Amino acid sequence: MPLSFDDAFTRAGQLAMIGWAALILLPRWRGISAALAGWIIPALLSLGYAVLIAVHWHDAKGGFSSLDSVAALFASKPLLLAGWVHYLAFDLFLGNWILRRSQEEAIPHWLMLPVLLLTFLFGPFGFITYLLLEACFRLAREDRIARLQARLPAWLPDLELEPRLTAAALAMLALAVPTTLAWLIDTRQFHGVDTWIKPLKFELSVAFYLLTLALFLPLASDRFRASWLGRYMVWPVIVPIVLEVLYIAWRASRVEASHYNRDDWIGIALYALMGIGAVMFTIAPGFLAYGLSRRDAAPMPEVVRWSLVVGLALTCVFGLASGAILSSSASGHYVGIVPEAHRTMPFFGWSLTIGDLRIAHFLGLHALQIIPAIGVALWLASRQRKAGLVALGTVSAAYAAITATALVAALQARPLLGLG
């Protein structure tokens, strides 16, 4: 008795699942997964596809000349099944190719599990994710960084970059490209704001955050970097911060809240995990501030050194303090009643009408870039140790006061620094 189309659909899916299970559970075992997923199952699926096309193509209505023509083509149940089998065969073949290439690149299999899952569910999405992951691993190798720096202008190769933090930062910048495209074509909004604005802001902010740490960490001594504090600066920072960005992007794609999501137990649990991750990567600048304040840190002008230390320390202190207040706020990042005509700052979305806790949080998290930039400028302008340190202390105190003022103003439901 011949299979019905529904039965054939089920059998094809089961056959493909055998191949995917082999890729995930038996990635290297005696070539079994390579054979099953690389040619045996794709070949069987391709054979089924060929039979469907041979038998039913002559009845096809539609074609490939327009989207409407494709829709008409797939209105035919047997041709829709053929398209599904085509998807199963090629995605499995692609999954096998990705896994074999990852093995050649010595990428850990546990990192490949989400890539394989994405390839299974969304084909090209998994492929582009793998290309990004592979580029990160290649870049993270010391020789790749050295080659990159050798191509930079003459004064830049003297600066070192921690390769793993650099690779993660560039990955965030790469993710900003499709996010920007999604923002340009997606008209959906969440609470009156384009849904892709939030992940885009986080991707750009995280990229510069990681690049800053990648630039500062090599200035600490080898002894500090070999200690547990120094080792903490890499994976305990990269993993939670990347997962947070991916989670925010996932929620944005569904037009759902990532922060303050208390709709169900999953949202509550994931929001709590986000808080733990935020503490993990926000405390890291404090560790690095200690590393750069040690006598065995790289020699540099005192103004520059203390600008790094102060900037990192302020990020740690204000980042943790404002983050704790944000996460515990019953009204979210706004303080006060949101009016109907609610004016906000373009792109950032900060309220110009009521209190907004994000302003102080932003100032706190970016102190590690702003204060060192001011320190370098002071050193270039004066080249005098005492005058530079006095100016740096004054500027740092003013920056801390402004950040604290923004936080207090927000808690009192006043916009910006309480001036609005």
Side-chain angles (χ1 to χ4, degrees):
M1 182 175 180
L3 286 175
S4 67
F5 292 131
D6 290 331
D7 288 338
F9 172 85
T10 301
R11 298 293 184 273
Q14 292 171 341
L15 192 60
M17 287 302 298
I18 293 173
W20 284 105
L23 291 179
I24 293 171
L25 302 176
L26 306 171
R28 296 181 182 271
W29 195 61
R30 299 187 179 184
I32 288 180
S33 65
L36 285 174
W39 65 274
I40 294 176
I41 294 177
L44 291 173
L45 292 171
S46 298
L47 180 61
Y49 173 84
V51 170
L52 286 168
I53 292 298
V55 173
H56 297 285
W57 185 257
H58 68 282
D59 291 328
K61 294 180 176 60
F64 302 108
S65 60
S66 67
L67 191 58
D68 288 338
S69 297
V70 172
L73 183 66
F74 285 120
S76 165
K77 196 169 185 177
L79 294 181
L80 179 61
L81 175 60
W84 175 248
V85 173
H86 179 290
Y87 166 85
L88 293 177
F90 276 56
D91 276 13
L92 181 58
F93 185 84
L94 176 62
N96 179 73
W97 180 88
I98 287 174
L99 182 60
R100 302 311 151 198
R101 186 166 175 125
S102 74
Q103 291 171 348
E104 294 174 2
E105 296 290 335
I107 298 176
H109 186 63
W110 66 270
L111 280 176
M112 291 304 301
L113 296 181
V115 175
L116 291 174
L117 180 61
L118 281 174
T119 307
F120 169 64
L121 293 173
F122 305 111
F125 195 0
F127 176 63
I128 197 69
T129 302
Y130 172 73
L131 293 181
L132 182 60
L133 182 63
E134 181 186 288
C136 289
F137 265 80
R138 289 190 172 191
L139 184 62
R141 291 168 185 149
E142 295 291 344
D143 59 331
R144 301 279 177 177
I145 292 292
R147 293 177 192 173
L148 173 64
Q149 289 180 287
R151 297 188 181 97
L152 296 176
W155 60 276
L156 283 177
D158 292 335
L159 300 175
E160 294 183 39
L161 291 170
E162 204 291 323
R164 292 159 294 183
L165 290 167
T166 303
L170 294 180
M172 287 295 101
L173 288 177
L175 283 177
V177 175
T179 304
T180 301
L181 295 175
W183 173 35
L184 293 174
I185 66 174
D186 193 347
T187 60
R188 295 177 300 166
Q189 292 191 334
F190 182 73
H191 292 172
V193 180
D194 293 346
T195 188
W196 291 104
I197 283 287
K198 185 173 182 177
L200 180 59
K201 290 191 297 185
F202 270 81
E203 287 159 0
L204 295 176
S205 178
V206 164
F208 287 110
Y209 182 83
L210 292 173
L211 274 176
T212 303
L213 295 181
L215 180 62
F216 291 173
L217 183 56
L219 298 175
S221 66
D222 292 338
R223 184 175 180 180
F224 171 79
R225 283 182 284 169
S227 69
W228 75 267
L229 290 177
R231 294 196 302 272
Y232 183 93
M233 295 300 304
V234 183
W235 293 117
V237 172
I238 292 174
V239 172
I241 205 169
V242 169
L243 289 178
E244 177 169 322
V245 170
L246 294 177
Y247 175 66
I248 290 170
W250 175 65
R251 285 293 191 182
S253 72
R254 297 164 58 89
V255 197
E256 296 174 345
S258 53
H259 294 71
Y260 309 109
N261 189 323
R262 301 183 179 94
D263 294 339
D264 51 39
W265 70 269
I266 296 178
I268 294 172
L270 291 176
Y271 183 46
L273 288 175
M274 283 179 66
I276 295 172
V279 171
M280 289 178 63
F281 61 74
T282 306
I283 203 172
F287 294 158
L288 186 52
Y290 163 71
L292 293 177
S293 68
R294 290 166 42 134
R295 292 183 179 180
D296 58 0
M300 67 186 83
E302 286 294 295
V303 175
V304 175
R305 177 191 304 279
W306 287 107
S307 70
L308 299 179
V309 172
V310 171
L312 289 163
L314 287 178
T315 287
C316 180
V317 172
F318 279 111
L320 290 174
S322 60
I325 294 172
L326 270 166
S327 63
S328 61
S329 173
S331 58
H333 51 75
Y334 290 136
V335 179
I337 301 174
V338 180
E340 291 185 6
H342 188 213
R343 295 181 299 116
T344 60
M345 186 174 292
F347 185 75
F348 292 99
W350 298 336
S351 176
L352 299 175
T353 309
I354 59 174
D356 197 328
L357 295 166
R358 294 175 297 177
I359 300 173
H361 194 56
F362 176 88
L363 292 173
L365 288 180
H366 290 282
L368 83 169
Q369 292 135 354
I370 296 172
I371 299 298
I374 293 173
V376 172
L378 289 172
W379 173 68
L380 292 175
S382 68
R383 304 290 179 123
Q384 295 181 9
R385 177 181 178 276
K386 185 175 181 180
L389 289 174
V390 170
L392 175 65
T394 303
V395 170
S396 299
Y399 189 91
I402 291 172
T403 306
T405 301
L407 184 58
V408 172
L411 290 172
Q412 295 177 347
R414 294 183 295 162
L416 298 179
L417 302 178
L419 304 176

